[in-house]
């Protein structure tokens, strides 16, 4: 039985991606791109995937609750862990350009039960990430309604009872009510995008490129305009004195690093493009590490600017960038050129956030059913999750289930709780990939590797340790939620996945 639990996929039998050819065993009609992506394309892909809820929402929560102005250090710590894990992803992505990402890598190296554990954590990552981004989208949507009300003199705003989370966790870690009913805009955006995914929407590369350009341009405009309003006194003390637990101090910096790790989870999208890279050995590390470097600079600049123009404790909102602008507007005489410029900037920020966050929700809600599809194809999930709609050719059952659960989560919980769970699930998956590289170096040293992690016996363990260290910071607070999630996952595996595994059936 133990041997069956740790059975691995044959790497030679796994579906490798050839330019322009359908993926064997993949969804019907799935065709890959030719090897045309350069390092520049991969860097842009990484920036587009990483710049999202992290910069428009998570930064404010992490600064207000944990790190203060030292959020800059939190971003550096998170980037360090991501950089180490990113090199491990690059080795796997260049060697095994298959669907399933970390789930497939684990199945090929550490065995079925570990692959299930990683796959279940990827479900946590994508499902809760979609909900987290939807909550952030709701915050900027409410800000847009407030702007429309101010401009027109009419009341477009939603009552607080219908526009914020009814549940949260207090400092003692207990689930409490906030007095509101539901976050209706967050549910609405998840429902709308789930319907698009059900219908089989195809994302245009041109549209995505435009959205990425808008997000980056607006961020740069924010940095340029707000530079004039930075008050360096707001950066003192840089690391606020600890107020108990992980509230500020160095423990708060580490805790903040776990939360802002959410900002980097999109970088693994670069690894999925290994099959389309012209020169994976050179381009994959540049794409992954280059996008991480650029995004880290943008995040640090945003963290420094936001905490430099507004007191960090005020930024604990779903729309902290708009909150920072509002604070500066409150100190600028109305009707002046400066106030007009700031109001215009706020409008740009709100609409850029809405467009950018919508695309991120779409990517998450499209990605999650694919994970279910891969696990269903291996027999670890019910066959229904692998069915395609006869007309729209989408995994429609998985899309409906994912959309419903994501909408419920987005409607009930605040951004910090959801962000923590996403980070924990992702950190566990990243740590497993780091370990998997070492295992495969030992068990299959003869395999050709287009990219090799330098100093693997240092980089891989250090990457796993860094990810697990950040994981622990959130686990001590959110452990009941994560343990419950893992228990549910292994119950599903024990009662269904273990019995229906195609790999073990074929072995018999």
């Amino acid at each position: 039985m133990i041997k069956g639990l740790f059975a691995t996929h044959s790497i030679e039998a796994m579906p490798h991606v050839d330019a322009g050819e359908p993926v064997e065993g993949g969804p019907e009609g799935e065709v890959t791109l030719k090897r045309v992506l350069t390092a520049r394309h991969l860097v842009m892909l990484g920036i587009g995937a990483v710049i999202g809820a992290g910069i428009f929402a998570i930064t404010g929560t992490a600064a207000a609750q944990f790190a203060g102005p030292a959020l800059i250090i939190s971003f550096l710590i998170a980037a360090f862990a991501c950089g180490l894990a990113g090199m491990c992803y690059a080795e796997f992505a260049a060697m095994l350009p298959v669907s399933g990402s970390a789930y497939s890598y684990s199945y090929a190296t550490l065995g079925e039960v570990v692959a299930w554990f990683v796959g279940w954590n990827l479900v946590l990552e994508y499902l809760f990430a979609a909900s987290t981004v939807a909550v952030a989208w709701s915050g900027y949507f409410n800000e847009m309604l407030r702007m429309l009300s101010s401009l027109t003199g009419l009341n477009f705003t939603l009552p607080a009872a219908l526009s914020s989370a009814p549940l949260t966790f207090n400092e003692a870690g207990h689930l409490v009510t906030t007095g509101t009913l539901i976050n209706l805009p967050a549910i609405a955006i998840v429902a709308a995008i789930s319907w698009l995914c059900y219908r089989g929407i195809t994302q245009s590369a041109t549209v995505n490129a435009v959205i990425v350009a808008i997000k980056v341009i607006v961020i740069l405009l924010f940095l340029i305009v707000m530079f004039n309003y930075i008050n360096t006194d707001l950066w003192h003390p840089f690391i606020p004195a600890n107020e108990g637990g992980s509230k500020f101090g160095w423990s708060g910096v580490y805790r903040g690093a776990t939360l802002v790790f959410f900002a980097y989870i999109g970088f693994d999208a670069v690894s999925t493009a290994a099959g389309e890279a012209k020169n994976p050995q050179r381009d994959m590390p540049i794409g992954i590490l280059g996008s991480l470097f650029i995004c880290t600079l943008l995040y640090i600049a945003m963290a420094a600017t936001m905490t430099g123009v507004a007191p960090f404790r005020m930024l604990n909102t779903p729309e902290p960038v708009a909150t920072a602008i509002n604070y500066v507007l409150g100190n600028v005489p109305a009707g002046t050129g400066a106030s007009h410029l700031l109001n215009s900037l706020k409008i740009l920020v709100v609409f850029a956030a809405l467009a950018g966050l919508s695309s991120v929700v779409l990517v998450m809600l499209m990605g999650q059913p694919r994970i279910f599809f891969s696990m269903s194809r291996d027999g670890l999930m019910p066959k229904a999750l692998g069915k395609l709609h006869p007309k729209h050719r989408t995994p429609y059952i998985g899309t409906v289930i994912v959309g419903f659960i994501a909408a419920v989560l987005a409607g009930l919980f605040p951004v910090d709780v959801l962000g923590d769970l996403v980070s924990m699930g992702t950190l566990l998956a990243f740590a497993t990939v780091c370990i998997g590289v070492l295992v495969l170096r030992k068990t299959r040293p003869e395999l050709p590797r287009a990219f090799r992690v330098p100093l693997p016996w240092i980089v891989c363990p250090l990457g796993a340790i860094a990810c697990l260290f950040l994981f622990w910071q959130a686990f001590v607070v959110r452990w009941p939620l994560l343990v419950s999630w893992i228990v549910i996952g292994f119950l599903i595996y024990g009662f269904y996945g273990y019995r229906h595994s195609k790999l073990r059936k074929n072995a018999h």
Side-chain angles (χ1 to χ4, degrees):
M1 177 178 177
I2 297 297
K3 184 178 180 181
L5 289 175
F6 291 94
T8 60
H9 267 309
S10 168
I11 293 178
E12 287 77 10
M14 293 181 74
H16 285 66
V17 182
D18 297 319
E21 296 297 325
V23 178
E24 181 183 352
E28 293 183 29
E30 182 179 1
V31 178
T32 62
L33 296 172
K34 294 182 179 180
R35 291 188 179 275
V36 296
L37 297 181
T38 64
R40 178 175 59 84
H41 292 132
L42 293 170
V43 169
M44 288 301 296
L45 175 64
I47 293 173
V50 172
I51 299 297
I55 210 161
F56 288 114
I58 299 294
T59 47
T61 302
Q65 295 189 7
F66 303 116
L71 182 63
I72 293 172
I73 302 177
S74 298
F75 272 118
L76 288 173
I77 294 172
F80 175 73
C82 273
L84 296 175
M87 285 189 283
C88 297
Y89 259 85
E91 177 164 325
F92 268 130
M95 181 172 56
L96 298 172
V98 296
S99 61
S101 188
Y103 164 74
S104 296
Y105 304 157
S106 301
Y107 218 149
T109 56
L110 300 174
E112 182 176 282
V113 70
V114 178
W116 169 269
F117 176 72
V118 171
W120 191 243
N121 282 321
L122 289 176
V123 171
L124 177 69
E125 173 187 337
Y126 279 89
L127 183 61
F128 282 68
S131 302
T132 306
V133 178
V135 173
W137 187 94
S138 173
Y140 283 95
F141 179 78
N142 290 325
E143 183 63 32
M144 182 190 71
L145 294 181
R146 286 190 286 271
M147 288 192 308
L148 288 175
S149 298
S150 176
L151 291 173
T152 63
L154 303 175
N155 184 16
F156 290 100
T157 58
L158 291 171
L162 299 177
S163 57
S164 58
L167 299 175
T168 191
F169 285 84
N170 60 20
E171 294 184 0
H174 299 137
L175 188 66
V176 297
T177 59
T178 62
T180 63
L181 295 177
I182 201 164
N183 192 336
L184 193 58
I187 292 177
I189 187 63
V190 171
I193 292 182
S194 295
W195 178 79
L196 290 175
C197 292
Y198 181 93
R199 297 280 298 179
I201 184 173
T202 301
Q203 287 182 285
S204 163
T206 302
V207 172
N208 281 332
V210 170
I211 291 177
V212 170
I214 290 173
K215 287 192 290 188
V216 174
I217 289 173
V218 170
I219 288 169
L220 293 176
L221 283 175
F222 174 86
L223 294 174
I224 293 170
V225 173
M226 301 306 282
F227 178 80
N228 299 309
Y229 298 96
I230 289 178
N231 177 7
T232 56
D233 291 339
L234 295 175
W235 289 335
H236 301 286
F238 187 67
I239 302 178
N242 184 265
E243 298 179 5
S246 57
K247 194 172 181 66
F248 307 123
W250 275 105
S251 59
V253 172
Y254 298 139
R255 182 72 174 82
T258 301
L259 189 57
V260 300
F261 189 87
F262 176 93
Y264 292 107
I265 66 171
F267 92 85
D268 61 357
V270 181
S271 71
T272 64
E276 295 85 51
K278 281 186 175 180
N279 184 357
Q281 183 174 7
R282 183 182 71 90
D283 295 345
M284 288 307 299
I286 293 175
I288 291 175
L289 301 178
S291 59
L292 279 175
F293 177 75
I294 293 173
C295 291
T296 298
L297 291 180
L298 289 176
Y299 277 127
I300 289 174
M302 285 293 287
T305 302
M306 290 167 63
T307 56
V309 300
F312 64 84
R313 295 180 190 269
M314 293 183 60
L315 299 176
N316 191 26
T317 68
E319 66 289 343
V321 182
T323 300
I325 297 175
N326 284 334
Y327 179 82
V328 175
L329 270 170
N331 296 293
V332 172
T336 62
S339 68
H340 291 315
L341 177 62
L342 290 170
N343 274 309
S344 299
L345 178 63
K346 186 171 73 171
I347 292 172
L348 288 175
V349 164
V350 169
F351 281 100
L354 288 173
L357 295 175
S358 296
S359 67
V360 175
V361 174
L362 178 59
V363 170
M364 296 300 173
L365 290 180
M366 289 183 71
Q368 177 58 74
R370 276 184 168 271
I371 295 174
F372 279 153
F373 189 98
S374 294
M375 298 176 78
S376 174
R377 186 178 60 194
D378 290 328
L380 302 183
M381 282 284 193
K383 292 182 179 179
L385 295 175
K387 287 185 177 180
L388 298 178
H389 192 282
K391 178 181 178 182
H392 305 305
R393 315 303 294 172
T394 59
Y396 65 106
I397 296 177
T399 299
V400 171
I401 293 173
V402 168
F404 175 78
I405 297 175
V408 171
L409 292 171
L412 297 180
F413 291 98
V415 69
D416 58 327
V417 176
L418 295 171
D420 271 339
L421 291 171
V422 172
S423 293
M424 286 192 289
T426 308
L427 284 162
L428 286 178
F430 284 7
T432 306
V433 170
C434 292
I435 296 170
V437 168
L438 283 185
V439 171
L440 209 58
R441 285 289 187 97
K442 184 71 175 178
T443 58
R444 299 297 305 275
E446 80 285 0
L447 286 175
R449 290 167 169 82
F451 168 75
R452 300 176 70 91
V453 174
L455 303 173
W457 299 102
I458 297 176
V459 171
C460 296
L462 192 58
I465 291 170
C467 290
L468 292 175
F469 173 76
L470 293 181
F471 163 81
W472 181 256
Q473 307 305 310
F475 181 75
V476 295
V477 178
R478 309 292 189 204
W479 70 265
L481 294 175
L482 186 66
V483 170
S484 299
W485 177 262
I486 293 174
V487 169
I488 292 171
F490 276 107
L491 286 174
I492 295 173
Y493 176 72
F495 285 101
Y496 186 90
Y498 180 79
R499 299 172 184 273
H500 294 82
S501 167
K502 291 183 179 179
L503 179 65
R504 290 191 310 102
K505 283 184 177 180
N506 292 336
H508 294 155

